[in-house]
């Protein structure tokens, strides 16, 4: 477990510390992360995960992973497994793994209790009629003609709803609150609806399913949650959250939670408080599950874990370390102010992490042959290279060096541009870790295309000799051609080419803004030591960026690397 060191106070951190200090909830802190298993987790979810798990860790509390699986139509076990793997990968351990469907019997008993208290009724209005009775933001709603049913009649109908006597849509259980409330959520909201459909956890045991607002507050209470942290869109729902819990008095009424104890689920019951914070948004991406699902289903990306996706499985495969994501959200803080953060800020956190943790290697992505003509044919050396320039604990490795090398094509210019300090005809440059070379001639094919360079190595500039320190402007990297490892390298870039792909005010949708250059595959030559890289291992390819061995396709005999991020922000202003 590696929580980030808190960098700044925020209102939720402060609130929880005050609650603890005041002994509220018996001094306990219990949070939960409640995903709906209808898609993969994304970077926005990571904000909520880091907050919920982080607050628990900081306060010697607990955090549950609760699948909010009250909606039987949309869920899938693939998502459940992916969500568990992602939370783990982010570095968090849940206290208990629970499902809202664990509480179906409790929700039902709560429904009967509200009916007995005269606070809920079975309504026969159709969905359209309910909408029409609800009124608008500027006009009050009208009472349902079924609002004054007797307790006995309501209990009988609710039991028959449960028993499966009615078709979908014919009845709902509604809270009896206030059809004139300025808060639409309080205009007799539905608590239960009929869905004659199987549920992946409870099978065909139920044909009535609770609504989110009703199920969520009860779930929090029966799990002993003290601080229910959620995003701002639930602010207007908080009065309903509180209404349900105040009317149900779960802490005073053990009969409501008896079904859980009978199942061996013995948890403290609490009166939780909901607190809202702003969603995390990033530019140049979309994060609604609906849009992410359509990118996958329509084949616009290569699956949920496509390294261009903002999903946690995508950025993991891209090579973003979990620690960078945690540090990013910790630094961004928590507030009620909605803001979109530049993706490049996250990339800066990724660079910072990888700069410290990734060993250096040599790799050439766009190869040009370079021959050192003053070395004998078959010349071979094994040079010692440090694995990290700032951290000796990374040790050293052996890099083979020979007469024929690959260098980066862009490190040579036949007609040099102003300020170009690398290799030019007749010019000198330092070969990383070797010495200074001079370009004596170029080699071209019949069509005049450059195919190689003929150079000489100044023997007085080799490592250890007095001439090694001779000043020279440029240094270029290389790999030995005869020893090099052939690899596929995937160069990823932003998936969208506009900052806000969600903005459809100009009639275009996010799908019109896909960046056609977001994935480029090249064939590269890597230094020999990379032959033993394992899928998921991070490296810096010197001068090129941070790369990761692809966790799916990389294997011995078929090297595949993904570019995680370039060394510098290539989009930075004034590049
Ligand atoms: P959608 O509305 O696209 O189906 P959702 O974001 O509501 O998805 P949930 O599975 O309900 O998805 O989310 C689980 C938790 O993650 C919720 O508490 C939600 O508030 C939080 N969450 C989702 N997106 C973000 C985000 N961008 N920033 C912070 N928290 C988020
Ligand atoms: Mg949701």
């Amino acid at each position: 477990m590696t929580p980030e060191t808190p960098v700044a106070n925020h209102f939720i951190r402060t609130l929880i510390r005050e609650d603890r200090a005041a002994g509220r909830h018996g001094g306990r802190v219990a949070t939960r992360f409640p995903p709906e298993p209808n898609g993969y987790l994304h970077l926005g979810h990571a904000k909520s995960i880091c907050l919920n798990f982080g607050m628990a860790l900081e306060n010697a509390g607990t955090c549950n992973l609760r699948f909010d699986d009250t909606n039987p139509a949309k869920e899938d076990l693939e998502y459940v497994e992916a969500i568990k793997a992602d939370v783990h990968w982010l570095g968090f351990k849940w206290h208990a793994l629970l499902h809202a469907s664990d509480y179906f019997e409790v929700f039902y008993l709560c429904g009967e209790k509200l009916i007995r208290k005269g606070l809920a009724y079975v309504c026969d209005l159709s969905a359209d009629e309910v909408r029409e009775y609800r009124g608008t933001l500027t006009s009050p709603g009208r009472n349902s003609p079924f609002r004054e049913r007797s307790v006995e009649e309501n209990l009988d109908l609710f039991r028959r709803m449960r028993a499966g006597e009615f078709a979908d849509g014919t009845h709902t259980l509604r809270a009896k609150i206030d059809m004139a409330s300025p808060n639409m959520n309080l205009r007799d909201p539905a608590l239960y609806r009929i869905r004659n459909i199987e549920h992946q956890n409870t099978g065909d045991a139920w044909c009535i399913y609770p609504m989110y607002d009703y199920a969520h507050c009860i779930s929090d209470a029966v799990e002993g949650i003290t601080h229910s942290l959620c995003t701002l869109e639930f602010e207007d729902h908080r009065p309903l959250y509180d209404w349900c819990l105040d009317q149900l008095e779960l802490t005073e009424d053990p009969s409501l939670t008896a079904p859980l104890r009978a199942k061996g689920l013995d948890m403290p019951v609490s009166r939780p408080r909901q607190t809202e914070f702003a969603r995390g948004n990033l530019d140049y991406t979309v994060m609604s599950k609906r849009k992410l699902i359509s990118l996958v289903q329509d084949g616009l990306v290569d699956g949920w874990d496509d390294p261009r996706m903002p999903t946690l499985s995508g950025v993991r495969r891209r090579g973003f370390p979990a620690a960078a994501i945690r540090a990013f959200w910790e630094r961004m803080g928590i507030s009620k102010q909605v803001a979109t953060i530049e993706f490049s800020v996250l990339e800066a956190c990724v660079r910072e992490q990888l700069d410290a943790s990734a060993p250096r290697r040599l790799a050439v992505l766009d190869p040009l042959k370079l021959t050192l003509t003053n070395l004998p044919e078959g010349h071979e050396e094994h040079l010692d290279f440090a694995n990290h320039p700032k951290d000796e604990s990374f040790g050293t490795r052996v890099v083979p060096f020979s007469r024929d090398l690959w260098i980066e094509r862009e490190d040579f210019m036949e007609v040099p541009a102003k300020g170009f300090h690398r290799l030019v005809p007749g010019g000198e440059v330092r070969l990383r870790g070797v010495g200074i070379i001079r370009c004596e001639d170029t080699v071209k094919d019949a069509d005049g295309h450059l195919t190689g360079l003929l150079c000489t190595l100044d023997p007085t500039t080799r490592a250890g000799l007095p001439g090694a320190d001779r000043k020279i402007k440029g240094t270029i990297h290389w790999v030995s051609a005869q020893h090099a490892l052939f690899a596929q390298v995937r160069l990823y870039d932003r998936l969208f080419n506009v900052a806000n792909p969600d903005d459809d005010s100009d009639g275009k949708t996010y799908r019109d803004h896909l960046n056609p250059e977001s994935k480029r595959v090249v064939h590269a030559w890597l230094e020999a030591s990379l032959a033993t890289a394992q899928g998921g291992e991070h490296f810096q390819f010197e001068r090129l960026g941070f790369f990761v061995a692809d966790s799916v396709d990389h294997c011995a005999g078929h090297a595949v690397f993904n570019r995680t991020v370039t060394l510098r922000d290539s989009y930075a202003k004034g590049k």
Side-chain angles (χ1 to χ4, degrees):
M1 185 60 272
T2 46
E4 304 320 301
T5 318
V7 295
N9 263 342
H10 52 65
F11 76 103
I12 293 183
R13 185 167 267 144
T14 305
L15 173 113
I16 292 180
R17 285 185 186 160
E18 284 170 1
D19 282 351
R20 259 187 103 187
R24 286 184 203 109
H25 310 285
R28 257 179 356 104
V29 173
T31 58
R32 83 288 170 267
F33 174 65
E36 197 179 335
N38 60 353
Y40 278 58
L41 297 181
H42 53 60
L43 288 164
H45 291 117
K47 176 175 183 176
S48 173
I49 295 170
C50 291
L51 176 66
N52 278 293
F53 282 90
M55 289 304 104
L57 275 164
E58 266 174 57
N59 291 284
T62 58
C63 182
N64 291 343
L65 175 60
R66 181 203 310 146
F67 287 106
D68 171 24
D69 59 351
T70 49
N71 187 350
K74 294 194 295 188
E75 291 154 7
D76 194 316
L77 278 178
E78 178 197 347
Y79 299 140
V80 169
E81 290 310 315
I83 289 169
K84 291 193 320 202
D86 286 345
V87 172
H88 249 137
W89 173 72
L90 258 191
F92 297 109
K93 283 203 180 74
W94 47 86
H95 174 69
L97 177 71
L98 296 160
H99 297 81
S101 58
D102 294 336
Y103 315 135
F104 276 177
E105 192 64 40
V106 178
F107 301 149
Y108 179 80
L109 293 179
C110 289
E112 287 207 351
K113 178 167 181 173
L114 290 177
I115 291 173
R116 269 195 224 93
K117 289 181 77 171
L119 295 171
Y121 61 98
V122 172
C123 181
D124 304 356
L125 292 180
S126 69
D128 284 341
E129 289 164 329
V130 167
R131 210 166 300 124
E132 192 219 316
Y133 274 76
R134 188 180 294 129
T136 66
L137 283 173
T138 49
S139 63
R142 286 179 293 140
N143 285 348
S144 160
F146 305 99
R147 202 173 197 259
E148 299 309 327
R149 276 180 162 148
S150 69
V151 169
E152 289 66 36
E153 193 185 357
N154 279 319
L155 274 179
D156 174 61
L157 285 168
F158 189 43
R159 287 170 185 163
R160 287 165 62 197
M161 280 169 66
R162 174 181 185 163
E165 287 188 28
F166 306 118
D168 287 7
T170 54
H171 301 75
T172 52
L173 182 71
R174 295 176 70 180
K176 195 192 260 190
I177 308 181
D178 179 6
M179 288 306 292
S181 171
N183 184 337
M184 302 288 278
N185 295 303
L186 297 182
R187 294 188 185 175
D188 290 10
L191 306 179
Y192 263 100
R193 66 210 192 292
I194 302 174
R195 305 287 313 266
N196 285 283
I197 183 169
E198 270 203 21
H199 183 281
Q200 82 272 12
N201 259 350
T202 56
D204 59 6
W206 293 89
C207 59
I208 54 172
Y209 290 96
M211 303 304 288
Y212 177 87
D213 284 331
Y214 173 72
H216 200 81
C217 56
I218 299 172
S219 303
D220 282 345
V222 302
E223 276 178 32
I225 301 303
T226 56
H227 297 83
S228 182
L229 310 177
C230 64
T231 35
L232 280 179
E233 68 271 24
F234 294 104
E235 198 163 28
D236 286 349
H237 298 238
R238 177 156 28 100
L240 180 54
Y241 186 102
D242 287 333
W243 182 90
C244 286
L245 293 183
D246 289 343
Q247 301 305 335
L248 287 167
E249 297 176 299
L250 283 133
T251 52
E252 313 294 318
D253 187 349
S255 74
L256 294 174
T257 44
L260 298 184
R261 287 186 296 280
K263 285 203 285 189
L265 270 179
D266 206 355
M267 302 181 282
V269 179
S270 63
R271 173 59 174 88
R273 296 287 162 189
Q274 175 178 307
T275 306
E276 307 85 15
F277 63 96
R279 270 179 186 260
N281 299 314
L282 290 163
D283 65 4
Y284 290 97
T285 192
V286 295
M287 285 203 287
S288 115
K289 279 188 215 162
R290 185 178 57 78
K291 291 178 183 170
L292 295 176
I293 286 175
S294 87
L295 291 174
V296 173
Q297 287 180 345
D298 299 341
L300 298 170
V301 294
D302 308 327
W304 285 103
D305 65 349
D306 185 306
R308 294 165 294 179
M309 289 279 273
T311 52
L312 295 184
S313 52
V315 297
R316 171 164 71 236
R317 193 170 170 191
R318 173 84 170 252
F320 285 22
I325 297 169
R326 295 194 305 263
F328 169 70
W329 285 124
E330 175 60 34
R331 280 180 209 176
M332 292 306 107
I334 299 291
S335 78
K336 284 187 184 278
Q337 211 62 46
V338 181
T340 298
I341 305 162
E342 290 176 29
F343 204 90
S344 55
V345 176
L346 172 59
E347 288 179 333
C349 291
V350 169
R351 278 188 200 101
E352 188 179 306
Q353 265 302 314
L354 290 175
D355 186 50
S357 65
R360 281 25 178 190
R361 293 291 183 266
L362 300 179
V364 172
L365 301 186
D366 183 14
L368 175 64
K369 185 66 97 32
L370 184 153
T371 304
L372 294 167
T373 53
N374 61 337
L375 295 183
E377 294 277 353
H379 179 86
E380 185 174 23
E381 288 179 47
H382 295 277
L383 306 176
D384 254 356
F385 269 66
N387 286 326
H388 199 289
K390 290 170 265 182
D391 187 343
E392 280 186 12
S393 71
F394 280 75
T396 62
R397 68 189 187 284
V398 166
V399 177
F401 168 67
S402 63
R403 190 174 187 266
D404 289 307
L405 309 175
W406 295 114
I407 65 159
E408 218 59 71
R409 193 166 276 272
E410 66 166 29
D411 282 337
F412 174 78
M413 277 186 104
E414 189 145 25
V415 183
K418 192 157 169 280
F420 184 79
H421 294 305
R422 288 164 283 166
L423 206 50
V424 299
E428 285 188 319
V429 78
R430 185 181 302 282
L431 261 195
R432 167 91 169 91
V434 177
I436 295 175
I437 60 167
R438 172 186 299 277
C439 178
E440 311 286 359
D441 208 352
T442 56
V443 185
K444 294 189 173 164
D445 65 14
D447 300 325
H449 294 304
L450 183 69
T451 59
L453 301 175
L454 301 178
C455 300
T456 50
L457 170 61
D458 178 350
T460 67
T461 60
R462 301 296 310 267
L465 298 181
D469 294 334
R470 175 149 77 81
K471 280 249 180 312
I472 191 93
K473 272 252 167 81
T475 299
I476 65 171
H477 64 274
W478 52 273
V479 294
S480 163
Q482 91 188 68
H483 302 93
L485 174 73
F486 185 69
Q488 184 188 108
V489 175
R490 300 165 179 168
L491 303 174
Y492 291 109
D493 200 347
R494 291 170 169 163
L495 184 54
F496 295 96
N497 49 25
V498 294
N500 182 10
D502 285 319
D503 176 11
D504 49 15
S505 58
D506 58 358
K508 292 188 174 172
T509 75
Y510 63 104
R511 300 161 77 101
D512 299 314
H513 299 299
L514 285 163
N515 173 9
E517 312 268 281
S518 61
K519 177 183 180 184
R520 202 154 60 80
V521 178
V522 298
H523 291 101
W525 292 106
L526 316 181
E527 73 167 67
S529 71
L530 285 164
T532 55
Q534 302 293 308
E537 243 189 293
H538 302 277
F539 300 95
Q540 183 192 105
F541 291 174
E542 290 192 14
R543 301 180 61 225
L544 297 174
F546 292 101
F547 291 74
V548 66
D550 187 63
S551 53
V552 178
D553 299 326
H554 174 87
C555 61
H558 181 60
V560 181
F561 286 82
N562 302 328
R563 182 169 69 197
T564 305
V565 65
T566 51
L567 292 182
R568 276 172 291 281
D569 181 3
S570 53
Y571 290 94
K573 291 182 188 80
K575 168 184 167 176

